[in-house]
Amino acid sequence: MTRDVTPQREDDDGRTALDRPDAGERGILVHVSFHGPAADDQVQEFEELASSAGVDCVGSLCVGRAGPEPRYLIGTGKLEELRHLVEGTHADLVLVDHALSPSQERNLERALSGRVLDRSGLILDIFAQRARSHEGKLQVELAQLRHLSTRLVRGWTHLERQKGGIGLRGPGETQLETDRRLLGHRIRQLRSRLEKVRSQRAQGRSARQRAAVQTVSLVGYTNAGKSTLFNALTQADAYAQDQLFATLDPTLRRLELPHADDAVLADTVGFIRDLPHELVAAFHATLQETQQASLLLHVVDASDEQHSEREAQVDEVLSSIGADEVPRLLVMNKIDLAGAPVRVDRDDAGRIWRIWVSAATGAGLDLLRETIALALRPEWVEAQITLGFDQARLRARLFELDAVIGEQVSDSGWQLRVSVAKRSLDKLCHDEGCDVELLDESAESPASSVKVSNRVGAPSSSVRVTEATTQEVSEHGVE
């Protein structure tokens, strides 16, 4: 088969090394599973990943082994079968649904005379296509360079020879060492730029906190309908398609809530099984919107038969980025496809922990807005605060919040009796420093009917399912 590849080179030991050929769009998918056949949902997900990347799948090969083969990951028999499949279909690209070491990737490319990508490389390519904003492009480039830096080790043997170059490299420096140096320099540049982005986002969050604006962040498995739900709740026009990783750049819009202050709704990148560590690290600035949110809406595709496993995988990613302690509400989306009615699920105490809606048809969205409003309503406390005369600024702030219900003046300062949201009180006292004595914490919070769990799954062994309306939620939510 005739291929357009770059000329071959010889290594120092005389062996021929083939430069990596250009990637094409005709691809073969290789599903590798150990200790049993590959699950159908994993095979389908990898096919969707390839389709999202624009690959025309012209063939597939399933490989089952007891363990990975060190040189090629797959055995030599399957490798020969794969080589014939590549030649017979004129494929330009081989996609492997498993992590490949640099040497395994290079050995496969030599044997197949074509481009080989593992799962991480495919996901990185999709992210590179989806990035639109300056921040998104920086994050994707950083992830790609981190991934590439591991491929410079034993992946490019022809770069290990020493080469001259006036003003380009030091005496005796090999091409591989030069590439490592330039790669490291570019990675440091990207980290510096992303640090500025992180600082800008932190300033934006600080401004929202000072204005007491709460943030609700959408999280969930990719293609669960987060962007469609985001558009339905905010009347935005964010890009939404039935494909994996349709949304990459974070989007924030105002969320109007009934009988409550407006909040900010954030649409973030979706998660997936075996998400590359390079992406998690590179998207740290974006994922901070999730870490710092007041409430997470964990969106789940109710029509997906594997939705329980998807929930657990999202939970693992949230834990890895430090967002496992953020209050969470489970939103079962796509009930129009699942054939399920609009409803809320309550625990034994009558508190909502899961809600069923359809972002595409709008069914249950009013109920969801009411539930979010109840979940965000603060816990109110009464407290006695002792302030010195040098803390007049904090005293003025409490009067601005209309929180003071009584005041006594002494020789050393003021004693204020306040009724205020506990979250606001904690923040004020943390920032300013003062002596606080809580007087009454027995009163039930207005949002006590909403269970915002810090873990995925039912909060109780017994769950009561209720056909709900907005009026019912309101009646249960306020004592």
Side-chain angles (χ1 to χ4, degrees), residues 29 42-55 57 95 97 119-120 122-127 129-130 221-222 243-245 272-274:
L29 308 185
Q42 295 181 4
V43 173
Q44 181 182 358
E45 179 181 271
F46 193 59
E47 291 174 350
E48 292 177 356
L49 275 174
S51 178
S52 297
V55 176
C57 300
L95 301 174
D97 190 14
R119 180 184 178 87
S120 295
L122 177 60
I123 294 176
L124 288 170
D125 184 82
I126 295 173
F127 272 57
Q129 295 181 40
R130 299 285 189 270
Y221 210 79
T222 182
Q243 59 183 178
L244 302 184
F245 298 117
I272 198 170
R273 174 179 60 90
D274 298 330

Side-chain angles (χ1 to χ4, degrees), residues 46 53 95-96 98-100 105 115-129 144 147 151 276 278-279:
F46 193 59
L95 301 174
V96 182
H98 197 277
L100 292 173
E105 183 177 302
R115 185 82 164 92
V116 176
L117 274 181
D118 63 0
R119 180 184 178 87
S120 295
L122 177 60
I123 294 176
L124 288 170
D125 184 82
I126 295 173
F127 272 57
Q129 295 181 40
Q144 287 180 318
H147 184 72
R151 264 56 193 164
E278 296 91 349
L279 280 177

Side-chain angles (χ1 to χ4, degrees), residues 386-396 414 432-435:
T386 301
L387 301 177
F389 288 120
D390 59 341
Q391 294 177 299
R393 177 181 177 183
L394 178 55
R395 174 179 176 271
W414 301 280
E432 302 290 342
C434 57
D435 183 17

Side-chain angles (χ1 to χ4, degrees), residues 255-313:
L255 174 63
E256 296 182 358
L257 299 173
H259 315 298
D261 294 334
D262 293 346
V264 172
L265 185 64
D267 185 19
T268 58
V269 62
F271 302 143
I272 198 170
R273 174 179 60 90
D274 298 330
L275 189 67
H277 295 294
E278 296 91 349
L279 280 177
V280 175
F283 277 74
H284 181 71
T286 298
L287 294 175
Q288 277 188 321
E289 295 294 343
T290 299
Q291 295 171 314
Q292 303 295 329
S294 305
L295 175 68
L296 299 182
L297 297 185
H298 182 174
V299 183
V300 179
D301 183 355
S303 65
D304 185 358
E305 295 179 356
Q306 306 294 327
H307 67 79
S308 296
E309 289 78 2
R310 303 283 190 259
E311 291 175 32
Q313 288 157 1

